Amino acid sequence: MSTHASHKKRTGLMDWLTTVDHKKIGILYLLSGGFFFLIGGLEAILMRIQLIKPENDFVSAEMFNQLLTMHGTTMIFLAAMPIIFAFMNAIVPLQIGARDVAFPYVNAVGFWLFFFGGVLLNMSWFLGGAPDAGWTAYAPLSTVSAGHGVDFYVLGLQIAGAGTLAGGINFLVTIINMRAPGMTFMRMPLFTWASFVTSGLILFAFPALTVGFFLLMFERVFGAHFFNADMGGNVLIWEHIFWIFGHPEVYILILPAFGIISEIVSTFSKKRLFGYSAMVFATVLIGFLGFMVWVHHMFTVGLGAVANSIFAVATMAIAIPTGVKIFNWIFTMWGGQIRFTAPMLFAVGFIPTFVMGGVTGVMLSVPAADYQYHDSYFVVAHFHYVIVGGLVLGLFAGLYYWYPRMFNRVLNDTLGKWNFWLFFIGFHLTFFPQHWLGLMGMPRRVFTYMSGQQLDTSNFVSTIGALLMGAGTIVLFINIIISASKKNIASADPWDGRTLEWAMPVPTPEYNFAQTPLVRGLDALYVEKTAGNGKMTPAEPVGEIHMPNGSILPFIMSVGMFISGFGFIYANWYAAGGGLGIVLITMFLRSVIDDHGYHIHKEEVEADIKGGRA
Amino acid sequence: MADHQQKSDKTVHRHEALQKKLALKEERKHHNVSFIMMILLTLVAFYAISSDKIGDSFAVMFILVLAVVQVFFQLYIWMHLSHKGHEFPIWGMASGILIAAITVASLMGMIWTS
Ligand code: HEM
Ligand SMILES: [Cu+2]
């Protein structure tokens, strides 16, 4: 092919800056999400040290407000979301038998926007103070907050959010259009299903946040009065907009974890998932109901009995499809040949922990009772049970499970178990006492408390638990370093997998599948294993493979956004306009430069197959 | 024998081409009709607002209805939603519209009525 000549092979740093390969973008997401996870964790530990004893003065009240805001914001937007995108990138195209996502270039744009948005937000630490209005940035607290902290919040998250939206759309299109022959919707692995529904939620929920951020930005930067009651605005509008986004967001977070747990429970029980179609239906239903419940975060603002009741019933309804999932996991394990490897341990730990978070959720969904719980540590306990006990355990499970596919190494199982037990025990020590703290009246988001209110012991235990969770995370990093220092490559299918991501050798060839596989049932690889051939039947002859070229433009475009973000924060219109100018120029270049990608020749593919590399 | 087959292949091809041509013609007709209709509807909307004979509140409702009709023209005639393979966009738009409608309606109810 003539286009082949135009292909430059890049190496080293330049390769990572220009890559459009979903596998590499997945690793980039994982590394940067992991980095922000460490920062968010550090902020949490600092807060817990401050709260270890009454009237402590380890950090100041102002510092505490910044820590709590940045902890929540970082963990949700810069750690959890990107790590979810890491697994979606690394695994979904493989699971559906595709060679890449539908829009590899947009995928890179999405990553770099997230990355620079996150960096912008964290620059606030060094430039006069971080945002301090809570991750929810309620007006008027956020509109009157002094300094530039909240401006960093608005602009940083706006840029990162644009990247997330791009990623969500990309995965919707990928899953709809790029499935291999025979991969019908009802044969898709549950992680792919969860990614699909999560992407749909992103598509519908993030625009609300984008609009909200624009309103807040106009209020802070240009002096508008959307949320200023003195000027005819309404503070409640921010709250509504935030939670119209915010509740779907919590399901954006948890659904992929549900997907990961489904894969792992089925693989390590050596059984197909119990009630597959019920699982799919429950996932879709949870996604749909997730949009009808946002007012449960606002029961106490005085919307009236009717509004509160409607949203209470809708909220309780979500417990039903969630319960269906719990039972299906248990029935999947029932009578299975269970192997308690590290990923399975995390998955099994996930189930009861998440149930506890769900139960407190249903308690909170009763408006009359919520008047008691609201804004207390009880809510803090609830959402950490679902987010840490749910999502984070799910992400750890996924990391141990897919690590061999992503990094060609297996993590040490014994260290993995240490990681699990330290983290799991630490987690319950940290958050279980917070239920009591809340019921005894300790409000959330306070930087200290008085002694003699019987809050001392529980707070002390909670801090010790947090340190144990930190220790568990350190074990994970030791494990990663050890595995990286060893030379032995993982086997292609270390867990006796059931789905397509285990159907190619390690390292995964850059084109994933030398020949697009023919899918003949649910758990496509397992179908072939039981049929006796042990590997996928190809759906096409060996041929040329078309690949997209890498590009530095997504990186430059995101730098442009970063500069313009700074411009808006400091009301420097040259920087704001200049940054947007860079964005426009990169868009223009992308539109006028014809780039048809390149082809991998049939002979190369054949050589790869012969050499066991594909 | 082979010759014969080739001949019948040719007629099949000619047939298909003819059908394609007819379909194209039909589509062009739709385009023309909808183009004229959309201009007319726009004129009617302008007239409804500028004329004194039509009450304000009725005029607002009226042009909203016209707007919905225009959206359907746009989606079905110009963006070919009726063609095969558009099930997903339709599902996506329908669920998006549903969620947006519920959201806007409940927001209006909660913020501006009490
Ligand atoms: C059965 C399922 C669930 C129910 C019934 C439920 C219910 C609730 C209710 C009523 C509140 C508001 C409490 C208050 O502020 O007074 C709440 C807060 C929260 N929930 Fe849930 N929840 C459920 C699942 C989840 C899941 C799966 C997640 C995340 C993965 C989650 C994350 C949160 C967060 C982050 C907050 C607090 C937000 C804040 O004020 O900062 N919840 N939940
Ligand atoms: Cu919620």
Side-chain angles (χ1 to χ4, degrees), chain A residues 243 246-251 290 293-297 315 318 382:
Chain A
W243 288 116
H247 189 84
E249 167 70 11
V250 305
Y251 285 100
V293 299
W294 77 89
V295 167
H296 66 216
H297 297 274
T315 303
I318 298 197
H382 156 68

Side-chain angles (χ1 to χ4, degrees), chain A residues 38-356:
Chain A
L38 288 186
I39 294 187
L42 184 67
E43 287 154 1
I45 301 260
L46 294 178
M47 280 191 286
R48 274 322 317 172
I49 294 177
Q50 162 66 15
L51 292 172
I52 193 169
K53 61 175 200 219
E55 292 172 85
N56 199 1
D57 59 357
F58 176 68
V59 295
S60 68
E62 291 76 27
M63 188 59 174
F64 192 89
N65 284 347
Q66 296 176 23
L67 285 172
L68 89 87
T69 302
M70 285 300 282
H71 164 71
T73 312
T74 302
M75 284 304 200
I76 300 262
F77 292 101
L78 307 182
M81 296 286 296
I83 297 178
I84 288 168
F85 266 115
F87 291 137
M88 280 165 62
N89 265 295
I91 302 302
V92 166
L94 302 183
Q95 279 196 336
I96 62 175
R99 293 220 166 95
D100 205 325
V101 294
F103 306 121
Y105 180 89
V106 175
N107 204 12
V109 173
F111 168 75
W112 288 111
L113 283 178
F114 140 69
F115 181 80
F116 281 105
V119 172
L120 181 62
L121 176 56
N122 275 282
M123 296 296 278
S124 61
W125 284 117
F126 312 105
L127 295 168
D132 56 358
W135 83 282
T136 49
Y138 277 7
L141 191 58
S142 56
T143 51
V144 301
S145 163
H148 284 299
V150 177
D151 300 326
F152 277 99
Y153 168 92
V154 174
L155 270 305
L157 290 188
Q158 187 72 284
I159 294 171
T164 306
L165 197 50
I169 293 172
N170 209 345
F171 277 95
L172 279 177
V173 181
T174 303
I175 295 173
I176 292 173
N177 291 316
M178 314 270 290
R179 283 166 292 128
M183 178 59 82
T184 59
F185 270 93
M186 291 311 276
R187 285 177 181 173
M188 278 177 0
L190 254 231
F191 179 67
T192 298
W193 256 111
S195 304
F196 183 58
V197 176
T198 276
S199 304
L201 296 188
I202 289 175
L203 177 64
F204 291 150
F206 266 74
L209 186 70
T210 306
V211 170
F213 282 157
F214 270 121
L215 299 185
L216 187 54
M217 172 178 151
F218 272 64
E219 182 128 1
R220 286 189 60 96
V221 181
F222 301 118
H225 295 289
F226 299 105
F227 311 125
N228 184 348
D230 295 338
M231 307 293 286
N234 186 333
V235 286
L236 277 193
I237 293 178
W238 168 264
E239 250 182 84
H240 278 295
I241 292 178
F242 186 86
W243 288 116
I244 285 169
F245 149 78
H247 189 84
E249 167 70 11
V250 305
Y251 285 100
I252 290 170
L253 295 176
I254 200 67
L255 287 179
F258 285 172
I260 296 172
I261 300 299
S262 304
E263 306 282 331
I264 292 176
V265 164
S266 151
T267 303
F268 293 102
S269 303
K270 231 180 185 2
K271 271 174 71 183
R272 68 175 275 183
L273 194 67
F274 185 92
Y276 170 83
S277 35
M279 287 298 243
V280 170
F281 184 69
T283 309
V284 176
L285 192 63
I286 291 174
F288 185 71
L289 288 176
F291 282 99
M292 323 273 150
V293 299
W294 77 89
V295 167
H296 66 216
H297 297 274
M298 306 170 61
F299 281 151
T300 58
V301 302
L303 296 170
V306 177
N308 278 3
S309 313
I310 293 172
F311 282 93
V313 172
T315 303
M316 294 171 197
I318 298 197
I320 299 169
T322 313
V324 167
K325 289 189 159 282
I326 303 285
F327 282 111
N328 280 339
W329 289 321
I330 294 174
F331 288 139
T332 305
M333 288 190 281
W334 193 294
Q337 299 170 23
I338 302 184
R339 283 173 292 159
F340 279 107
T341 55
M344 184 62 169
L345 215 49
F346 278 102
V348 172
F350 166 97
I351 297 173
T353 315
F354 183 77
V355 169
M356 290 171 74

